[in-house]
């Protein structure tokens, strides 16, 4: 038999293009494509628009249609006259019954088989083109045989299709291989030869691969599983890249250069979509489960699970980047098809992302060059299950510019070429600020977009990576190569606004957030930063300085804290008792007095950061009104340890720092430093009352919710004296009254969300246990280690060089003098020798050494280090003398 007439049942994405190319290449064969859907067939017969969009397809259809290519709804006569019948109907995942959600639904295949059985006469070759489970051919044969007419016979072949949408014509013209599976009987092999002959009209015979039917069926599922597995593999690594600073495109390139692996299908994305991958893998999983192969089933299931994870990760990234809420925000979705060059939306990740955002209350503005508006609406309706939401919150646009206008964010869901060449300058100008882009396909020029001012997020690449590296370096310079700075996390820009500035804080912050990404690429030290500030007209007029800090965290973002310094200085508060008593020192924060203190405090790694994080988290919980009966938090800190270790200074600096970091939440900060000693009246019984009076003043301040208040109780032991310790210099009853008053007052103000109570003590044991219990953090601040002493001396050296009191060689980096190896060793030796001194002592010794051992003329650094070393020796000798005399 020579095949002269072919019928294809199913005029969809496979049947249409396959038969069109076959008709083009086999002019000697008449091909009729049939379908139950009248509309579809009408569209295939139209000259305006085919039912599917495929580049190059219209030209082929127009060339062959009416010649040897026909589209018809007359299924019966097409079956009757055909020598060979393709079954190319849909095989979706079952939505009910056994295998629901996983098994392939073969009802359309069965329907087609029954039509053939009812209508065919003579010898027919029936070809499974649809993707089917292994041994589906057997079921088709059973149907055909059960309904066999006396004069008819069949051969069943498996001929799975490997075309991908968007490139279907090219894939069909230049297929990597054509797979034909048939029975090993003589008739079966003859049928295989017949079909091979058809393909060999344009496919080299070496690429027409034949095998047994079951292998052919399984190979189709296997090919899709392998392809999807590669995407899930690279997508899984994209998450690792985002968390580490690696770039998934670089990783994919490196991996793909291995010829054993190859470069294709390693493009990380928002997740794979399309009508095949998920359905075919689920089908494979189901088959494995039915064959009692649970390990194999679990292995392939993971490919799907990873894809779900990738889609949800991306959608959540959008929400978290937009300050954790998209409610009532306008978001443009560019691209709705599951990939470019197709209008198909089946399993498109855009549906998932859009549904997620709609559930969060976003308003979506969607544009896709090829997807019909009604299709988008249908997809969202069936996904959200609430047409009201779609009616109210979705607008479909006919171009990208109108879709993005006035939106807060733009999401690229499909990699359409036209999205790469859009005028992003115009788009940026028309969007709300700050404007966000989420590139789910990694097709855009991210540096360019950042330069325009966009906040950019993408897959598998941590944005601002260069920034973090550069500023890690900046910190090493400023802090003398001591602290380890993570290159992940939040970048804090602390911006001191000039008193002359006329901008609002948010105007200045917006400007800096646009300016910073560009500058951060080239600027590597503090010296440079000043240059950049001066070079920017707005900043040079409105900013005194910008300080930059990184903080380890999972998120990476730039936060801008604009503040002005209070220059009026602290004031003393008085309370009236038997006499007028100076009860507290009152600072408005941030203030000039405390401005540089935080940086000069040196502790072992993590102490300052831990306190800052504690305080910030405590304020965050308070702001969100976390119930304190469920999560116990008092916002009380106790720093204890030997005198001279900087506990009080640390508390003040912390209050100042918090006031800067909390500028978004509070208008300004205040620090009340309670003078504990003065509250101890010589009429001791008065003390309880004084405490009450003091706190009633504090309560007035706390009532102003826009102000953040730190209450510092220094040497708290003098107030919170252990009730059971007994007092030698006062009546125990009085002592108890003071403690009770203090505890009651602390309890009454700590409930306010804008208050933080900082306390210090040199003698922890003497503090009332009820007070110690109230402190959330009880931090021991001990004498400095050799490392910390090195940092202290290092900062002294830098200060004296800067103020031209000691001479150093010219080698500088930024504003810092870089010590030679010999100088560092000397400094470290002196620091080791100084262990046992407090920070306060250590900071005095450079002065004492200078005064005692150096003349007035400009000594060099080594001379100074020798003087410092001698001063350390003197200090220990003096201490020995004192303790000897004491004895
Ligand atoms: N879409 C792809 O890229 C692709 C690629 C390779 C393989 N496949 C596989 O090919 C098969 C078809 O996929 P598709 O994307 O072309 O599906 P599709 O839904 O686009 O087309 C299937 C067509 O079959 C028609 N149909 C169903 N039952 C019929 C019947 N009894 N008689 C006549 N017409 C009937 C439907 O009306 C529909 O038009 C599926 O098994 C699929 O897994 C698809
Ligand atoms: O590196 C890549 C490659 C693809 N995708 C995505 O994967 C999905 C599927 O893409 P593709 O395979 O190109 O399109 P399909 O039309 O679904 O084609 C697949 O499914 C068909 C149906 O079985 C098979 O015939 C094809 O061989 C097989 O590639 C799309 O969402 C793509 O965006 C990626 O995310 N990264």
């Amino acid at each position: 038999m020579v095949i002269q007439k072919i019928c294809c049942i199913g005029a969809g994405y496979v049947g249409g293009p396959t038969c069109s190319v076959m008709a083009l290449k086999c002019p000697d064969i008449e091909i009729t494509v049939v379908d139950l859907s009248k509309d579809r067939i009408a569209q295939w017969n139209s000259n305006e628009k085919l039912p599917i969009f495929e580049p190059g397809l219209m030209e082929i259809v127009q060339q062959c249609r009416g010649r040897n290519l026909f589209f018809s709804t007359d299924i019966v006569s097409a079956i009757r006259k055909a020598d060979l019948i393709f079954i190319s109907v849909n095989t979706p995942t079952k939505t009910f019954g056994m295998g629901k959600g996983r098994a392939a639904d073969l009802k359309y295949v069965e329907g087609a088989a029954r039509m053939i059985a009812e209508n065919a006469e003579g010898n027919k070759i029936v070809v499974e083109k649809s993707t089917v489970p292994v041994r589906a051919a057997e079921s088709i044969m059973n149907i055909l045989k059960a309904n066999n007419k006396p004069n008819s016979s069949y051969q069943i072949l498996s001929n799975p299709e490997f075309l991908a949408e968007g490139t279907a014509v090219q894939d069909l013209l230049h297929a990597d291989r054509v797979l034909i599976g048939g029975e090993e009987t003589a008739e079966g092999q003859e049928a295989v030869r017949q079909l091979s002959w058809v393909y060999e009209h344009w496919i080299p015979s070496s690429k027409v691969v034949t095998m047994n039917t079951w292998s052919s069926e399984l190979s189709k599922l296997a090919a899709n599983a392998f392809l999807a597995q590669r995407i899930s593999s690279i997508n899984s690594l994209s998450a690792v890249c985002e968390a580490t600073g690696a770039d998934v495109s670089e990783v994919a390139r490196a991996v793909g250069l291995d010829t054993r692996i190859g470069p294709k299908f390693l493009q990380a994305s928002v997740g794979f979509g399309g009508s095949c991958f998920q359905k075919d893998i689920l089908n494979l999983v189901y088959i494995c489960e039915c064959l009692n192969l649970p390990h194999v089933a679990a292995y392939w299931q993971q490919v799907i699970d990873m894809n779900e994870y990738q889609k949800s990760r991306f959608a959540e990234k959008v929400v978290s980047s937009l300050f954790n809420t998209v409610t009532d925000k306008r978001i443009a979705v560019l691209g709705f098809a599951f990939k470019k060059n197709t209008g198909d939306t089946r399993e498109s990740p855009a549906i998932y992302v859009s549904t997620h955002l709609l559930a969060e209350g976003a308003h979506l503005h969607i544009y896709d060059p090829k997807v019909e508006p009604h299709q988008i609406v249908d997809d969202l309706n069936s996904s959200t299950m609430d047409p009201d939401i779609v009616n109210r919150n979705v607008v479909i646009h006919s171009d990208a510019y109108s879709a993005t206008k006035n939106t807060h964010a733009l999401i690229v869901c499909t990699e359409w070429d036209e999205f790469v060449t859009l005028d992003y300058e115009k788009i940026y100008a028309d969007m709300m600020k700050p404007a966000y882009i989420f590139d789910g396909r990694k097709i855009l020029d991210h540096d360019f977009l950042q330069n325009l001012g966009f906040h950019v997020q993408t897959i598998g690449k941590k944005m601002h990576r260069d920034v973090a590296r550069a500023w890690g370096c900046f910190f090493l310079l400023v802090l003398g190569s001591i602290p380890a700075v993570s290159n992940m996390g939040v970048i804090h820009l602390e911006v001191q606004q000039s008193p002359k500035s006329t901008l609002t804080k948010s105007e200045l912050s917006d400007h800096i957030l646009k300016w910073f990404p560009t500058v951060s690429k080239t600027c590597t030290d503090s010296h440079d930063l000043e240059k950049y500030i001066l070079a920017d007209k707005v900043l040079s007029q409105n900013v005194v300085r910008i300080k930059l800090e990184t903080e380890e965290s999972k998120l990476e973002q730039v936060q801008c804290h604009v503040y002005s310094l209070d220059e009026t200085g602290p004031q003393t508060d008085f309370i009236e008792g038997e006499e007028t008593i100076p009860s507290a020192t009152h600072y408005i924060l941030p203030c000039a007095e405390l401005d540089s203190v935080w940086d000069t405090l040196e502790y072992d790694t993590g102490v300052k950061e831990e306190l800052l994080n504690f305080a910030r988290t405590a304020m965050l919980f308070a702001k969100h009104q976390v119930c304190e009966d469920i999560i116990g938090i008092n916002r009380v800190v106790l720093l204890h340890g030997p005198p001279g270790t900087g506990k009080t200074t640390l508390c003040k600096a912390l209050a100042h720092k918090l006031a800067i970091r909390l500028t978004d939440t509070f208008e300004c900060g205040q620090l009340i430093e309670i003078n504990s000693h003065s509250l101890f009246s010589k009429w001791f019984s008065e003390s309880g009352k004084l405490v009450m009076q003091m706190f009633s003043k504090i309560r007035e301040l706390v009532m102003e919710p826009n102000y953040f208040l730190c209450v510092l109780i220094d040497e708290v032991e003098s107030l919170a004296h252990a009730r059971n310790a007994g007092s030698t210099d006062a009546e125990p009853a009085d002592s108890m009254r003071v403690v009770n008053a203090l505890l009651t007052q602390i309890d009454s103000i700590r409930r306010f969300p804008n208050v933080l109570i900082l306390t210090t003590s040199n003698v922890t044991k003497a503090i009332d246990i009820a007070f110690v219990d109230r402190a959330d953090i009880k931090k021991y601040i001990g004498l400095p280690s050799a490392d910390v002493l090195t940092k202290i001396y290092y900062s002294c050296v830098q200060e004296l060089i800067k103020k031209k009191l000691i001479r150093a060689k010219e080698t500088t980096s930024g504003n810092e003098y870089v010590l030679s190896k010999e100088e560092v060793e000397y400094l470290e030796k002196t620091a080791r020798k100084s262990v046992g001194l407090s920070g306060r002592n250590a900071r005095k010794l450079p002065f004492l050494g200078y005064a005692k051992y150096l003349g007035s003329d400009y000594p060099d650094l080594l001379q100074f280090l020798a003087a410092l070393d001698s001063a350390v020796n003197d200090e220990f000798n003096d201490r020995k003398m004192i303790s000897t005399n004491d004895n």
Side-chain angles (χ1 to χ4, degrees), residues 797-854:
V797 164
Q798 294 295 346
E799 175 69 3
L800 290 173
I801 292 173
K802 203 156 94 190
K803 299 292 157 65
K804 302 239 175 300
L805 285 167
I806 49 180
R807 208 154 20 94
K809 290 179 211 111
E810 284 306 302
T811 11
T812 59
S813 172
N815 284 335
E816 297 282 298
Y817 171 73
V818 180
L819 275 68
S820 69
K821 192 163 171 264
E822 185 191 7
E823 289 159 352
V824 169
E825 281 170 3
Y826 205 149
L827 197 72
E828 286 175 347
K829 191 188 81 186
T830 307
R832 279 196 298 276
K833 198 191 274 180
S834 308
V835 171
L837 299 181
S838 70
R840 192 195 293 156
N841 293 140
R843 285 207 183 271
K844 278 188 187 141
L845 296 180
F847 164 74
L848 293 175
Y850 200 107
K852 188 165 174 189
Y853 296 103
L854 300 173

Side-chain angles (χ1 to χ4, degrees), residues 131 161-166 220 224 227 231 234-235 264-277 280 338-340 349 415 441:
T131 306
E161 181 48 61
F162 295 98
L163 69 82
E165 288 177 30
K220 171 62 194 175
N224 274 359
L227 288 168
I231 303 171
I234 199 70
N235 281 347
K264 293 183 184 169
F265 262 69
L266 287 179
Q267 171 73 31
S269 67
V270 51
F272 60 71
S275 62
C276 298
F277 282 170
D280 293 347
F338 80 95
K339 63 185 283 197
K340 73 173 179 179
E415 72 281 22
R441 293 295 185 162

Side-chain angles (χ1 to χ4, degrees), residues 74 89 308 317 571 616 863:
D74 186 357
V89 298
E308 291 301 306
K317 184 192 273 199
Q571 292 180 358
R616 243 182 8 184
Q863 287 172 313

Side-chain angles (χ1 to χ4, degrees), residues 64-116:
C64 305
R65 200 172 46 199
R67 184 189 74 184
N68 64 333
L69 175 65
F70 302 92
F71 295 95
S72 164
T73 49
D74 186 357
I75 303 175
V76 173
S77 63
I79 289 176
R80 281 202 183 131
K81 61 184 183 185
D83 306 310
L84 183 147
I85 304 163
F86 283 114
I87 298 180
S88 189
V89 298
N90 36 332
T91 48
T93 305
K94 276 183 91 168
T95 52
F96 59 87
M98 216 166 76
K100 172 185 166 189
R102 284 169 308 154
D105 191 342
L106 294 181
K107 70 175 177 218
Y108 302 102
V109 172
E110 194 185 322
R114 287 188 190 282
M115 279 191 187
I116 297 170

Side-chain angles (χ1 to χ4, degrees), residues 3-44:
I3 291 171
Q4 291 174 332
K5 291 196 166 70
I6 289 178
C7 161
C8 174
I9 304 178
Y13 286 88
V14 169
T18 308
C19 291
S20 301
V21 169
M22 204 170 264
L24 178 76
K25 293 294 177 181
C26 308
D28 50 333
I29 302 178
E30 183 186 304
I31 302 176
T32 307
V33 188
V34 293
D35 204 290
L36 291 173
S37 162
K38 287 194 179 113
D39 284 353
R40 236 184 189 184
I41 292 300
Q43 281 178 297
W44 279 112

